Amino acid sequence: MKTLSNWFMNKFSPALAKISNMKYLVALRDGMIITVPFTVFGSIFMIIGNLPINGWYDTIAPIQGILQAPVNVTFGILALIVAIGMSYQSAKANKIDPLTGTAVGAIAFLLCMLNKDFAIDPSTLGSGGMFTAIIVAIISSEIMRFFIKRNIVIKMPESVPPAVANSFASLIPGSAALLFFWLIRVVLNIQINDVIQAIFSPLVFGLNSFWGMEFMLFLTLMLWTLGIHGNNILGAVASPVYLQFLTSNINDVAAGKTPTHITADGFLNFGMNIGGTGAILGLVICMVFAKSKQYKQLGRLGLVPAVFQISEPIMFGFPVVLNPTLMIPFIAVPMILQGITYFLMKAGLIGMVVAQVPWTTPTLINGFLITGGDWRAPVWQLIQLVISIVAYWPFFKICDHQALEAERQSELAE
Protein backbone atom coordinates (compact mmCIF):
# COMPACT_ATOMS: atom_id res chain seq x y z
CA MET A 1 0.00 0.00 0.00
CA LYS A 2 2.84 2.35 0.81
CA THR A 3 4.50 1.63 -2.53
CA LEU A 4 1.26 2.36 -4.35
CA SER A 5 0.75 5.54 -2.37
CA ASN A 6 4.28 6.71 -3.18
CA TRP A 7 3.68 6.02 -6.87
CA PHE A 8 0.51 8.09 -6.80
CA MET A 9 2.24 10.96 -5.01
CA ASN A 10 5.51 10.95 -6.96
CA LYS A 11 4.48 9.87 -10.45
CA PHE A 12 0.75 9.91 -11.14
CA SER A 13 -0.23 12.99 -9.16
CA PRO A 14 2.43 15.31 -10.67
CA ALA A 15 1.48 14.13 -14.18
CA LEU A 16 -2.19 14.97 -13.63
CA ALA A 17 -1.27 18.27 -12.00
CA LYS A 18 0.75 19.12 -15.10
CA ILE A 19 -2.27 18.32 -17.28
CA SER A 20 -4.56 20.48 -15.14
CA ASN A 21 -2.15 23.40 -15.60
CA MET A 22 -1.99 23.10 -19.38
CA LYS A 23 -2.34 26.49 -21.02
CA TYR A 24 -5.62 26.00 -22.80
CA LEU A 25 -7.20 23.85 -20.11
CA VAL A 26 -6.68 26.75 -17.70
CA ALA A 27 -7.93 29.18 -20.35
CA LEU A 28 -11.04 27.05 -20.88
CA ARG A 29 -11.77 26.85 -17.17
CA ASP A 30 -11.28 30.59 -16.61
CA GLY A 31 -12.88 31.59 -19.90
CA MET A 32 -16.12 29.77 -19.09
CA ILE A 33 -16.45 31.60 -15.76
CA ILE A 34 -17.48 34.75 -17.61
CA THR A 35 -20.82 33.10 -18.43
CA VAL A 36 -21.85 32.74 -14.77
CA PRO A 37 -23.11 36.28 -13.98
CA PHE A 38 -25.05 36.37 -17.24
CA THR A 39 -26.68 32.96 -16.85
CA VAL A 40 -27.54 33.65 -13.22
CA PHE A 41 -29.07 37.00 -14.21
CA GLY A 42 -31.12 35.37 -16.95
CA SER A 43 -32.12 32.52 -14.64
CA ILE A 44 -33.61 34.94 -12.13
CA PHE A 45 -36.08 36.15 -14.74
CA MET A 46 -36.68 32.58 -15.90
CA ILE A 47 -37.66 31.59 -12.34
CA ILE A 48 -39.89 34.65 -11.88
CA GLY A 49 -41.63 34.01 -15.19
CA ASN A 50 -42.28 30.33 -14.47
CA LEU A 51 -43.17 30.04 -10.78
CA PRO A 52 -45.28 26.91 -10.15
CA ILE A 53 -48.15 28.84 -8.62
CA ASN A 54 -51.77 28.47 -9.71
CA GLY A 55 -52.83 31.42 -11.82
CA TRP A 56 -49.28 32.81 -12.03
CA TYR A 57 -49.07 32.58 -15.83
CA ASP A 58 -52.33 34.50 -16.23
CA THR A 59 -51.16 37.14 -13.77
CA ILE A 60 -47.88 37.88 -15.54
CA ALA A 61 -49.18 37.34 -19.08
CA PRO A 62 -49.16 41.11 -19.87
CA ILE A 63 -45.46 41.37 -18.95
CA GLN A 64 -44.32 37.90 -20.03
CA GLY A 65 -42.34 39.36 -22.95
CA ILE A 66 -40.65 41.88 -20.65
CA LEU A 67 -39.59 39.11 -18.23
CA GLN A 68 -38.39 36.92 -21.08
CA ALA A 69 -36.16 39.63 -22.61
CA PRO A 70 -33.20 39.17 -20.20
CA VAL A 71 -33.41 35.40 -20.74
CA ASN A 72 -33.31 35.79 -24.51
CA VAL A 73 -30.35 38.16 -24.37
CA THR A 74 -28.18 36.26 -21.90
CA PHE A 75 -28.77 32.71 -23.10
CA GLY A 76 -29.34 33.76 -26.69
CA ILE A 77 -25.75 34.96 -27.12
CA LEU A 78 -24.08 32.49 -24.77
CA ALA A 79 -21.62 31.28 -27.43
CA LEU A 80 -20.55 34.86 -28.13
CA ILE A 81 -19.95 35.40 -24.41
CA VAL A 82 -17.83 32.23 -24.35
CA ALA A 83 -15.90 33.48 -27.41
CA ILE A 84 -15.11 36.72 -25.59
CA GLY A 85 -14.04 34.96 -22.39
CA MET A 86 -11.96 32.31 -24.16
CA SER A 87 -10.31 34.87 -26.46
CA TYR A 88 -9.35 37.02 -23.48
CA GLN A 89 -7.89 34.12 -21.50
CA SER A 90 -6.10 32.71 -24.56
CA ALA A 91 -4.57 36.12 -25.28
CA LYS A 92 -3.33 36.35 -21.69
CA ALA A 93 -1.89 32.84 -21.88
CA ASN A 94 0.00 33.72 -25.08
CA LYS A 95 1.11 37.14 -23.80
CA ILE A 96 -0.89 38.97 -26.48
CA ASP A 97 -2.51 42.33 -25.85
CA PRO A 98 -5.76 41.13 -24.14
CA LEU A 99 -7.99 43.77 -25.73
CA THR A 100 -6.75 42.99 -29.23
CA GLY A 101 -6.84 39.23 -28.68
CA THR A 102 -10.40 39.42 -27.36
CA ALA A 103 -11.63 41.54 -30.26
CA VAL A 104 -10.00 39.35 -32.92
CA GLY A 105 -11.29 36.13 -31.34
CA ALA A 106 -14.84 37.45 -31.04
CA ILE A 107 -14.91 38.75 -34.63
CA ALA A 108 -13.40 35.52 -35.94
CA PHE A 109 -16.18 33.62 -34.18
CA LEU A 110 -18.87 35.84 -35.74
CA LEU A 111 -17.22 35.25 -39.11
CA CYS A 112 -17.46 31.50 -38.62
CA MET A 113 -21.15 31.69 -37.67
CA LEU A 114 -22.31 33.53 -40.80
CA ASN A 115 -25.42 31.99 -42.35
CA LYS A 116 -25.78 30.76 -45.93
CA ASP A 117 -26.18 34.35 -47.12
CA PHE A 118 -22.97 35.29 -45.27
CA ALA A 119 -24.90 37.51 -42.86
CA ILE A 120 -24.82 37.54 -39.06
CA ASP A 121 -27.71 35.47 -37.71
CA PRO A 122 -28.40 36.13 -33.99
CA SER A 123 -30.12 32.73 -33.69
CA THR A 124 -26.75 30.99 -34.19
CA LEU A 125 -25.05 32.71 -31.24
CA GLY A 126 -26.66 30.64 -28.49
CA SER A 127 -25.29 27.56 -26.74
CA GLY A 128 -25.15 25.56 -29.98
CA GLY A 129 -22.03 27.47 -30.97
CA MET A 130 -20.06 27.13 -27.72
CA PHE A 131 -17.63 24.50 -28.98
CA THR A 132 -16.98 26.60 -32.07
CA ALA A 133 -16.36 29.63 -29.86
CA ILE A 134 -13.76 27.69 -27.86
CA ILE A 135 -11.94 26.25 -30.88
CA VAL A 136 -11.96 29.52 -32.83
CA ALA A 137 -10.63 31.48 -29.84
CA ILE A 138 -7.74 29.05 -29.42
CA ILE A 139 -6.83 28.95 -33.11
CA SER A 140 -7.07 32.74 -33.44
CA SER A 141 -4.75 33.20 -30.49
CA GLU A 142 -2.26 30.68 -31.86
CA ILE A 143 -2.18 32.37 -35.27
CA MET A 144 -1.54 35.74 -33.65
CA ARG A 145 1.15 34.26 -31.42
CA PHE A 146 2.85 32.75 -34.49
CA PHE A 147 3.27 36.17 -36.11
CA ILE A 148 4.13 38.06 -32.93
CA LYS A 149 6.72 35.48 -31.84
CA ARG A 150 8.46 35.85 -35.21
CA ASN A 151 8.25 39.63 -34.98
CA ILE A 152 6.08 39.87 -38.10
CA VAL A 153 4.40 43.06 -36.91
CA ILE A 154 4.27 46.73 -37.80
CA LYS A 155 6.49 48.69 -35.42
CA MET A 156 5.85 52.33 -34.68
CA PRO A 157 8.30 54.92 -33.31
CA GLU A 158 8.59 55.16 -29.53
CA SER A 159 6.98 58.60 -29.62
CA VAL A 160 3.68 57.06 -30.75
CA PRO A 161 1.18 56.52 -27.89
CA PRO A 162 1.06 52.87 -26.68
CA ALA A 163 -2.61 52.44 -27.63
CA VAL A 164 -1.89 53.46 -31.23
CA ALA A 165 1.29 51.37 -31.36
CA ASN A 166 -0.57 48.27 -30.11
CA SER A 167 -3.23 48.75 -32.78
CA PHE A 168 -0.67 48.79 -35.57
CA ALA A 169 1.34 45.96 -34.00
CA SER A 170 -1.74 43.75 -34.04
CA LEU A 171 -2.72 44.60 -37.60
CA ILE A 172 -0.82 41.78 -39.33
CA PRO A 173 -1.37 39.04 -36.68
CA GLY A 174 -5.06 39.92 -36.29
CA SER A 175 -5.64 40.16 -40.04
CA ALA A 176 -3.98 36.76 -40.52
CA ALA A 177 -6.34 35.15 -38.00
CA LEU A 178 -9.42 36.71 -39.59
CA LEU A 179 -8.20 35.86 -43.08
CA PHE A 180 -7.78 32.22 -42.07
CA PHE A 181 -11.41 31.87 -40.99
CA TRP A 182 -12.67 33.98 -43.92
CA LEU A 183 -11.06 31.56 -46.35
CA ILE A 184 -12.65 28.54 -44.67
CA ARG A 185 -16.14 29.94 -44.07
CA VAL A 186 -16.65 32.28 -47.02
CA VAL A 187 -14.28 31.29 -49.83
CA LEU A 188 -14.54 27.52 -49.28
CA ASN A 189 -18.11 27.87 -47.93
CA ILE A 190 -17.54 25.35 -45.13
CA GLN A 191 -20.00 25.50 -42.23
CA ILE A 192 -17.39 25.46 -39.48
CA ASN A 193 -19.95 25.17 -36.68
CA ASP A 194 -21.52 22.08 -38.26
CA VAL A 195 -18.12 20.40 -38.57
CA ILE A 196 -17.14 21.14 -34.98
CA GLN A 197 -20.54 20.04 -33.66
CA ALA A 198 -20.14 16.73 -35.49
CA ILE A 199 -16.70 16.23 -33.96
CA PHE A 200 -17.95 16.83 -30.41
CA SER A 201 -21.27 15.01 -30.82
CA PRO A 202 -20.00 11.78 -29.13
CA LEU A 203 -19.05 13.79 -26.02
CA VAL A 204 -22.42 15.54 -26.01
CA PHE A 205 -24.27 12.25 -26.44
CA GLY A 206 -22.23 10.53 -23.72
CA LEU A 207 -22.74 13.21 -21.08
CA ASN A 208 -26.46 13.20 -21.77
CA SER A 209 -26.69 9.51 -20.85
CA PHE A 210 -26.83 7.76 -17.49
CA TRP A 211 -23.61 5.78 -17.94
CA GLY A 212 -21.74 8.71 -19.44
CA MET A 213 -22.72 10.87 -16.49
CA GLU A 214 -21.74 8.18 -13.98
CA PHE A 215 -18.40 7.55 -15.69
CA MET A 216 -17.51 11.25 -15.62
CA LEU A 217 -18.57 11.35 -11.96
CA PHE A 218 -16.41 8.34 -11.10
CA LEU A 219 -13.32 9.86 -12.76
CA THR A 220 -13.84 13.18 -10.99
CA LEU A 221 -14.19 11.58 -7.56
CA MET A 222 -11.30 9.18 -8.14
CA LEU A 223 -9.00 12.07 -9.02
CA TRP A 224 -10.03 13.85 -5.82
CA THR A 225 -9.09 10.82 -3.71
CA LEU A 226 -5.62 11.04 -5.27
CA GLY A 227 -5.27 14.69 -4.35
CA ILE A 228 -6.08 16.04 -7.82
CA HIS A 229 -8.82 18.65 -8.26
CA GLY A 230 -11.05 16.52 -10.49
CA ASN A 231 -13.50 19.36 -11.09
CA ASN A 232 -10.75 21.50 -12.61
CA ILE A 233 -9.49 18.79 -14.94
CA LEU A 234 -12.74 17.18 -16.11
CA GLY A 235 -15.12 20.01 -15.31
CA ALA A 236 -13.44 22.24 -17.88
CA VAL A 237 -14.27 19.66 -20.56
CA ALA A 238 -17.80 18.87 -19.40
CA SER A 239 -18.91 22.39 -18.48
CA PRO A 240 -19.68 23.58 -22.06
CA VAL A 241 -21.80 20.46 -22.63
CA TYR A 242 -23.78 20.80 -19.40
CA LEU A 243 -24.30 24.52 -20.06
CA GLN A 244 -25.58 23.70 -23.54
CA PHE A 245 -28.11 21.31 -21.99
CA LEU A 246 -29.23 23.98 -19.51
CA THR A 247 -29.78 26.47 -22.31
CA SER A 248 -31.83 23.90 -24.21
CA ASN A 249 -34.01 23.30 -21.13
CA ILE A 250 -34.54 27.02 -20.65
CA ASN A 251 -35.55 27.43 -24.29
CA ASP A 252 -37.99 24.55 -23.91
CA VAL A 253 -39.61 26.11 -20.85
CA ALA A 254 -39.83 29.49 -22.59
CA ALA A 255 -41.61 27.78 -25.49
CA GLY A 256 -44.03 26.01 -23.15
CA LYS A 257 -42.41 22.62 -23.69
CA THR A 258 -41.09 20.03 -21.22
CA PRO A 259 -37.30 20.11 -20.63
CA THR A 260 -35.49 17.08 -22.03
CA HIS A 261 -31.92 17.22 -20.69
CA ILE A 262 -31.54 15.62 -17.28
CA THR A 263 -27.81 16.28 -16.90
CA ALA A 264 -28.05 20.03 -17.46
CA ASP A 265 -25.66 22.34 -15.62
CA GLY A 266 -26.71 22.23 -11.95
CA PHE A 267 -27.74 18.57 -12.01
CA LEU A 268 -24.79 17.67 -9.77
CA ASN A 269 -26.33 19.66 -6.92
CA PHE A 270 -28.40 16.52 -6.40
CA GLY A 271 -25.99 14.02 -4.86
CA MET A 272 -22.47 14.93 -5.92
CA ASN A 273 -22.45 18.43 -4.44
CA ILE A 274 -24.49 18.06 -1.26
CA GLY A 275 -22.27 20.36 0.78
CA GLY A 276 -19.48 20.23 -1.80
CA THR A 277 -17.85 17.52 -3.87
CA GLY A 278 -18.47 14.01 -2.58
CA ALA A 279 -21.67 14.88 -0.69
CA ILE A 280 -19.23 16.02 1.97
CA LEU A 281 -21.85 17.67 4.20
CA GLY A 282 -22.89 14.19 5.35
CA LEU A 283 -19.34 13.53 6.55
CA VAL A 284 -19.12 16.93 8.24
CA ILE A 285 -22.30 16.28 10.23
CA CYS A 286 -20.83 12.95 11.33
CA MET A 287 -17.74 14.82 12.52
CA VAL A 288 -19.82 17.18 14.65
CA PHE A 289 -20.78 14.11 16.75
CA ALA A 290 -17.24 12.72 16.89
CA LYS A 291 -15.76 11.43 20.13
CA SER A 292 -12.24 12.54 19.26
CA LYS A 293 -11.37 16.18 19.85
CA GLN A 294 -9.58 16.37 16.52
CA TYR A 295 -12.55 15.52 14.33
CA LYS A 296 -15.14 17.27 16.50
CA GLN A 297 -13.26 20.55 16.24
CA LEU A 298 -12.61 20.11 12.52
CA GLY A 299 -16.28 19.31 11.97
CA ARG A 300 -17.35 22.52 13.65
CA LEU A 301 -14.85 24.52 11.58
CA GLY A 302 -15.86 22.85 8.33
CA LEU A 303 -19.64 23.00 8.83
CA VAL A 304 -20.23 26.54 7.60
CA PRO A 305 -18.02 26.17 4.47
CA ALA A 306 -19.78 22.87 3.65
CA VAL A 307 -23.19 24.52 3.95
CA PHE A 308 -22.00 26.90 1.23
CA GLN A 309 -20.70 24.03 -0.94
CA ILE A 310 -16.99 24.48 -0.04
CA SER A 311 -15.44 21.09 0.63
CA GLU A 312 -11.70 21.84 0.55
CA PRO A 313 -11.26 22.31 4.36
CA ILE A 314 -12.48 18.75 4.91
CA MET A 315 -10.87 17.31 1.78
CA PHE A 316 -7.41 18.31 2.91
CA GLY A 317 -8.01 18.79 6.65
CA PHE A 318 -9.57 15.42 7.51
CA PRO A 319 -8.07 14.41 5.04
CA VAL A 320 -10.31 12.66 2.53
CA VAL A 321 -7.48 12.76 0.01
CA LEU A 322 -5.41 9.55 -0.02
CA ASN A 323 -7.58 8.12 2.75
CA PRO A 324 -8.38 4.47 1.90
CA THR A 325 -11.01 4.27 4.67
CA LEU A 326 -13.14 7.04 3.17
CA MET A 327 -12.47 6.26 -0.49
CA ILE A 328 -15.44 3.87 -0.80
CA PRO A 329 -18.18 6.18 0.58
CA PHE A 330 -16.63 9.26 -1.05
CA ILE A 331 -16.98 7.68 -4.50
CA ALA A 332 -20.00 5.43 -4.01
CA VAL A 333 -22.38 7.79 -2.16
CA PRO A 334 -22.45 10.58 -4.80
CA MET A 335 -22.65 8.09 -7.67
CA ILE A 336 -25.60 6.24 -6.12
CA LEU A 337 -27.46 9.43 -5.17
CA GLN A 338 -26.81 10.97 -8.57
CA GLY A 339 -27.99 7.81 -10.30
CA ILE A 340 -31.25 7.75 -8.33
CA THR A 341 -31.76 11.43 -9.13
CA TYR A 342 -31.33 10.69 -12.84
CA PHE A 343 -34.20 8.23 -12.85
CA LEU A 344 -36.39 10.38 -10.59
CA MET A 345 -36.08 13.23 -13.06
CA LYS A 346 -36.59 10.91 -15.99
CA ALA A 347 -39.82 9.69 -14.40
CA GLY A 348 -40.95 13.27 -13.77
CA LEU A 349 -40.94 12.89 -9.98
CA ILE A 350 -38.50 15.80 -9.69
CA GLY A 351 -38.29 18.74 -12.06
CA MET A 352 -35.27 19.03 -14.33
CA VAL A 353 -32.79 21.89 -14.02
CA VAL A 354 -34.07 25.03 -15.76
CA ALA A 355 -32.06 27.79 -14.05
CA GLN A 356 -28.63 28.52 -12.67
CA VAL A 357 -27.59 29.88 -9.28
CA PRO A 358 -24.17 30.76 -7.79
CA TRP A 359 -22.31 27.56 -6.90
CA THR A 360 -22.09 28.61 -3.24
CA THR A 361 -25.89 28.60 -2.84
CA PRO A 362 -26.68 26.22 0.04
CA THR A 363 -28.25 22.81 -0.51
CA LEU A 364 -32.09 22.80 -0.39
CA ILE A 365 -32.18 26.43 -1.54
CA ASN A 366 -30.28 25.67 -4.75
CA GLY A 367 -32.45 22.63 -5.49
CA PHE A 368 -35.62 24.68 -5.20
CA LEU A 369 -34.33 27.50 -7.39
CA ILE A 370 -32.65 25.58 -10.21
CA THR A 371 -35.74 23.45 -10.80
CA GLY A 372 -37.88 26.55 -11.16
CA GLY A 373 -39.46 26.27 -7.73
CA ASP A 374 -40.20 22.53 -7.56
CA TRP A 375 -40.75 21.80 -3.84
CA ARG A 376 -39.93 18.13 -4.38
CA ALA A 377 -36.32 18.98 -5.24
CA PRO A 378 -35.25 20.25 -1.78
CA VAL A 379 -37.19 17.40 -0.15
CA TRP A 380 -35.14 14.92 -2.16
CA GLN A 381 -31.94 16.79 -1.30
CA LEU A 382 -32.82 16.53 2.39
CA ILE A 383 -33.35 12.78 1.98
CA GLN A 384 -30.00 12.60 0.17
CA LEU A 385 -28.31 14.37 3.05
CA VAL A 386 -29.71 11.85 5.53
CA ILE A 387 -28.60 8.96 3.31
CA SER A 388 -25.09 10.42 3.03
CA ILE A 389 -24.84 10.76 6.83
CA VAL A 390 -25.89 7.13 7.30
CA ALA A 391 -23.51 5.93 4.58
CA TYR A 392 -20.50 7.88 5.86
CA TRP A 393 -21.10 7.03 9.55
CA PRO A 394 -19.56 3.51 9.81
CA PHE A 395 -16.49 4.55 7.83
CA PHE A 396 -16.10 7.74 9.81
CA LYS A 397 -16.35 5.82 13.09
CA ILE A 398 -13.26 3.82 12.10
CA CYS A 399 -11.29 7.04 11.62
CA ASP A 400 -12.77 8.57 14.77
CA HIS A 401 -11.85 5.52 16.85
CA GLN A 402 -8.27 5.65 15.58
CA ALA A 403 -8.01 9.37 16.35
CA LEU A 404 -9.50 8.86 19.83
CA GLU A 405 -6.98 6.12 20.61
CA ALA A 406 -4.14 8.35 19.42
CA GLU A 407 -5.34 11.17 21.67
CA ARG A 408 -5.52 8.79 24.67
CA GLN A 409 -2.01 7.52 24.00
CA SER A 410 -0.77 11.09 23.74
CA GLU A 411 -2.38 11.99 27.10
CA LEU A 412 -0.85 8.95 28.76
CA ALA A 413 2.57 9.83 27.36
CA GLU A 414 2.33 13.26 28.93
Side-chain angles (χ1 to χ4, degrees):
M1 184 67 188
K2 187 176 181 180
T3 303
L4 181 62
S5 178
N6 289 336
W7 180 79
F8 279 138
M9 291 295 293
N10 299 324
K11 300 292 184 181
F12 191 66
S13 181
L16 286 177
K18 188 175 181 180
I19 292 174
S20 68
N21 290 320
M22 288 176 62
K23 178 171 62 175
Y24 285 118
L25 198 59
V26 173
L28 177 59
R29 183 184 66 228
D30 295 342
M32 290 295 296
I33 292 176
I34 192 177
T35 65
V36 174
F38 301 103
T39 53
V40 170
F41 178 75
S43 294
I44 293 172
F45 287 88
M46 169 58 69
I47 294 170
I48 294 173
N50 295 275
L51 290 174
I53 301 174
N54 291 333
W56 181 252
Y57 290 105
D58 296 333
T59 302
I60 65 168
I63 61 169
Q64 183 65 43
I66 296 174
L67 293 175
Q68 189 63 28
V71 181
N72 294 337
V73 172
T74 52
F75 286 93
I77 61 167
L78 203 55
L80 179 58
I81 296 172
V82 171
I84 293 171
M86 273 298 300
S87 298
Y88 176 79
Q89 294 298 336
S90 298
K92 282 181 59 180
N94 286 322
K95 295 180 173 57
I96 299 171
D97 176 56
L99 181 59
T100 301
T102 301
V104 170
I107 295 172
F109 167 70
L110 291 173
L111 191 60
C112 292
M113 302 301 287
L114 295 177
N115 61 18
K116 62 181 181 179
D117 298 320
F118 302 127
I120 295 177
D121 184 357
S123 66
T124 65
L125 304 181
S127 62
M130 279 199 293
F131 286 114
T132 301
I134 293 168
I135 299 301
V136 170
I138 292 174
I139 294 176
S140 297
S141 185
E142 281 298 315
I143 292 175
M144 294 185 69
R145 187 176 75 90
F146 176 86
F147 282 85
I148 293 172
K149 187 176 181 180
R150 288 160 179 77
N151 208 26
I152 308 176
V153 298
I154 297 176
K155 293 185 178 180
M156 301 296 289
E158 294 184 0
S159 58
V160 176
V164 177
N166 288 337
S167 297
F168 277 92
S170 63
L171 181 59
I172 295 177
S175 297
L178 296 176
L179 182 64
F180 174 79
F181 290 107
W182 173 75
L183 288 171
I184 296 176
R185 177 65 194 92
V186 179
V187 177
L188 299 179
N189 197 20
I190 297 175
Q191 285 283 4
I192 297 175
N193 189 53
D194 291 347
V195 174
I196 294 177
Q197 288 282 44
I199 293 173
F200 283 93
S201 59
L203 176 63
V204 175
F205 175 79
L207 291 179
N208 195 36
S209 67
F210 172 79
W211 291 112
M213 175 272 298
E214 287 283 73
F215 180 65
M216 181 65 74
L217 203 59
F218 172 77
L219 291 180
T220 302
L221 293 165
M222 178 59 74
L223 289 176
W224 266 111
T225 63
L226 302 177
I228 304 297
H229 201 302
N231 302 74
N232 282 351
I233 294 179
L234 300 177
V237 177
S239 181
V241 180
Y242 292 145
L243 194 54
Q244 185 175 331
F245 293 161
L246 174 62
T247 304
S248 178
N249 283 356
I250 288 175
N251 291 335
D252 285 339
V253 172
K257 301 177 183 178
T258 302
T260 57
H261 292 92
I262 297 174
T263 58
D265 190 43
F267 173 66
L268 297 183
N269 283 313
F270 296 95
M272 169 71 159
N273 292 332
I274 299 292
T277 304
I280 213 71
L281 184 57
L283 175 61
V284 174
I285 293 176
C286 290
M287 294 169 65
V288 172
F289 296 97
K291 292 184 178 181
S292 63
K293 296 178 182 178
Q294 171 188 340
Y295 288 134
K296 184 180 286 291
Q297 183 176 7
L298 183 59
R300 290 170 178 171
L301 292 174
L303 182 59
V304 173
V307 167
F308 290 95
Q309 310 287 67
I310 301 172
S311 61
E312 280 79 359
I314 303 301
M315 287 285 199
F316 300 103
F318 190 99
V320 176
V321 170
L322 293 176
N323 189 326
T325 304
L326 291 180
M327 183 178 293
I328 293 176
F330 180 77
I331 295 176
V333 171
M335 291 185 66
I336 292 171
L337 295 179
Q338 208 70 59
I340 297 173
T341 303
Y342 183 94
F343 290 107
L344 288 175
M345 288 187 175
K346 189 174 184 178
L349 298 177
I350 297 176
M352 295 184 191
V353 180
V354 295
Q356 190 178 65
V357 295
W359 66 272
T360 52
T361 305
T363 298
L364 304 186
I365 297 176
N366 61 19
F368 179 78
L369 293 175
I370 64 177
T371 55
D374 187 346
W375 64 269
R376 298 168 298 180
V379 171
W380 170 233
Q381 285 183 312
L382 182 59
I383 294 172
Q384 288 182 311
L385 177 58
V386 174
I387 293 173
S388 67
I389 294 171
V390 174
Y392 267 116
W393 183 256
F395 297 92
F396 167 71
K397 289 303 294 180
I398 295 174
C399 299
D400 188 38
H401 177 73
Q402 293 172 347
L404 184 62
E405 286 299 314
E407 289 174 358
R408 288 173 177 172
Q409 292 297 327
S410 177
E411 292 174 358
L412 290 174
E414 293 176 358

